Amino acid sequence: MVRGKRSGIAVVGFGYIGTVIGAVLADRGWPVTGVDVRQAVVDDINAGRTAVPEPGLGELVANSVGTGRLQATTDFAALGDNDFVIVTVGTPLGPDYEPIVDDIKAAARAVGTHLRAGHLVILKSTVPPDTTEKLVLPILEDASGLRAGVDFGLAFCPERLAEGQAIYELTSIPVVVGAVDERSARACAALWRHALGVESVVVDDPRTAEMVKLADNLWVDLNVALANELAKVCDRLGMDALQVIEAANTMPKGGRDANILRPSMGVGGYCLTKDPWFVNHLGESLGLQLAIPRTSRTVNDTMPAYTYGLLGQLLADQGKSVGDSKIAVLGIAFKNNTGDCRLTPTRYVLELLEASGCQLSVHDPWVPEDEAHTVTAVPLTPDIEATVKDADALVVLAGHRQFHQVPLVRLAELAAPGAIFLDGRNSFDPAAVRAAGFVYKGIGR
Ligand SMILES: NC(=O)c1ccc[n+]([C@@H]2O[C@H](COP(=O)([O-])OP(=O)(O)OC[C@H]3O[C@@H](n4cnc5c(N)ncnc54)[C@H](O)[C@@H]3O)[C@@H](O)[C@H]2O)c1
């Protein structure tokens, strides 16, 4: 039951997603308790800080902790004071490309131990179909002695926000709800409406909602793979892939316009690199050899080496080689406007650059030094101007907004004359880059 903002919300797993959800709910007036097994995370939150590098999140955490609406603990007994329990623990990829659900099991057992009648448990982690009903539900019932759909509510609601714009998306995209019974579904929909101001799309059951998340991410990965292969063709033809895609997307199909996404130097992060493999693994478990997940992953995984190859060609056109050049890399996070380096495709470009023997400088205002070590052995240069000084090539691997705040003419003045500007994220206007004096190249343009 939603008792308005008197209802407390516990968020179990206060990592990237948990912190965004918890901080937004607290900012909107709900009492939120983050529960995590990592003491350092809990200490950070209670000190009004978060290491999660999402735009605007630091302020939300500081304000909400300041007003007393957000707190964190490692003690699951805190669940007793809350009506809602949202579970957002991680589901990494195993060595055989299978989903690892160990944290889900551990969290379910701990939640079950402190469950009471009237609780609504909402799982948000990305999981294979049937996890909510066949894995989580029996653990909760066994640990609590209560019955799902009778004594407590249970639902799966996939998290579909994108890092970099997570706070906005959390309060703007509809939530898919798949619950074990109608009462749980209604309570979930009421919570999302009251708490986040978003509508729910209620599907038949948790397994359908679990499949929705996998379908969404398979679509994104495949769509980007399509854009990336179009970009490779356009590169060979000397054509602008973005112009092709923009015009192609005016075609109506199935009641809406085509929506081919944008090519880039690679796809990374915690979701798109694993969720297609979850689908592949699911297919195998059902005796199906699926082609799409493998294809999308394979195509997108070619892009870092492809981007490095473009750089080699551009330098060769100027009679230079990568190894003899000074290269300035801008952005190492896995996408624009985040500091998240988990499974970033930029690492593969940096590995190739480091192996080439080139003189390399690297800058990313979003990424802390200890995180940067997971991507490159080269220490970050804190200042963009020092990074690009005398560079033969600027290589943009994440198109952070800070890079757009420095005038392009200033960057061109600092770089070597006639320097190359390789935009791996197609985030700059080619005409403006050329007008500043660079030799421009994007992915597919
Ligand atoms: N990062 C994204 O953009 C994104 C988007 C949509 C969905 N998801 C999904 O959301 C889930 C969480 O992703 P994330 O990026 O926030 O992961 P994360 O690794 O940043 O956070 C997971 C947190 O859970 C904590 N944890 C682990 N075991 C626990 C337990 N037993 N009890 C309490 N806490 C525990 C960890 O300490 C960690 O802080 C994953 O299933 C992911 O696929 C992520």
Side-chain angles (χ1 to χ4, degrees), residues 312-400:
Q313 277 166 27
L314 292 160
L315 286 165
D317 291 346
Q318 296 186 340
K320 299 175 189 167
S321 72
V322 179
D324 296 328
S325 301
K326 175 163 190 242
I327 312 292
V329 167
L330 300 181
I332 61 168
F334 90 89
K335 65 186 288 196
N336 305 346
N337 301 319
T338 173
D340 195 348
C341 290
R342 289 180 293 177
L343 302 157
T344 178
T346 61
R347 184 156 72 87
Y348 303 105
V349 181
L350 282 152
E351 264 172 22
L352 293 166
L353 287 169
E354 285 171 32
S356 76
C358 71
Q359 204 187 323
L360 185 58
S361 52
V362 185
H363 173 69
D364 193 316
W366 280 100
V367 177
E369 193 63 49
D370 53 345
E371 184 86 9
H373 291 317
T374 63
V375 185
T376 174
V378 177
L380 293 184
T381 305
D383 174 50
I384 189 170
E385 296 208 349
T387 310
V388 304
K389 181 113 184 52
D390 300 327
D392 297 294
L394 275 59
V395 182
V396 178
L397 296 183
H400 298 322

